[in-house]
Amino acid sequence: MATRPSFTSGDIFTAANANILASSIVALNTQSGTAYTAALTDVGKLINFTSNSAIVFTIPANATVAFAVGDQINILQAGSATVTITPAATVTVRSSGSKLKTNDQFSLATCIKIDTNEWVAVGNLKA
């Protein structure tokens, strides 16, 4: 993900700055396989799952991938198969009603890290 620039009073906003901001808003990471583990490069991106076979999306332990508290990863079920958000052994993913599967095609969800090995999943999810 591109680093978002910070601006102070008197700075001039350039076309280069606009390009940085545009590319950092939502970049896509398209995944066509049936298993994918989140990586630091996914922070702030939309993971576009296109498979028509069941998909397992794993949130790794902090010891494996040290996401920062507050990091967000967005997922989209673009194919016909459900994406299941699966925590690694030491990870907890919380959601309303323990819903960790995308509801149907074109469902969106966001996973947000809220503590060392704790995440919350929100969006169009089912149990």
Side-chain angles (χ1 to χ4, degrees):
M1 182 169 101
T3 302
R4 293 183 179 167
S6 59
F7 299 97
T8 57
S9 179
D11 284 352
I12 296 172
F13 188 77
T14 66
N17 297 132
N19 288 335
I20 291 170
L21 288 174
S23 68
S24 68
I25 293 171
V26 177
L28 289 178
N29 172 4
T30 298
Q31 294 294 318
S32 60
T34 59
Y36 182 75
T37 300
L40 286 175
T41 54
D42 293 319
V43 173
K45 290 185 179 174
L46 175 63
I47 304 174
N48 183 32
F49 289 101
T50 60
S51 179
N52 292 319
S53 297
I55 301 159
V56 174
F57 171 60
T58 302
I59 303 286
N62 189 71
T64 304
V65 181
F67 291 101
V69 170
D71 279 353
Q72 296 182 30
I73 300 171
N74 304 297
I75 63 172
L76 168 66
Q77 178 191 324
S80 62
T82 298
V83 179
T84 301
I85 301 166
T86 306
T90 59
V91 176
T92 300
V93 178
R94 303 187 186 284
S95 69
S96 176
S98 299
K99 298 174 183 173
L100 294 177
K101 296 180 179 187
T102 51
N103 196 38
D104 53 18
Q105 192 169 23
F106 304 114
S107 293
L108 277 167
T110 300
C111 297
I112 306 165
K113 186 171 183 181
I114 58 172
D115 205 347
T116 303
N117 276 310
E118 189 172 355
W119 293 70
V120 63
V122 297
N124 192 357
L125 298 169
K126 64 182 178 183

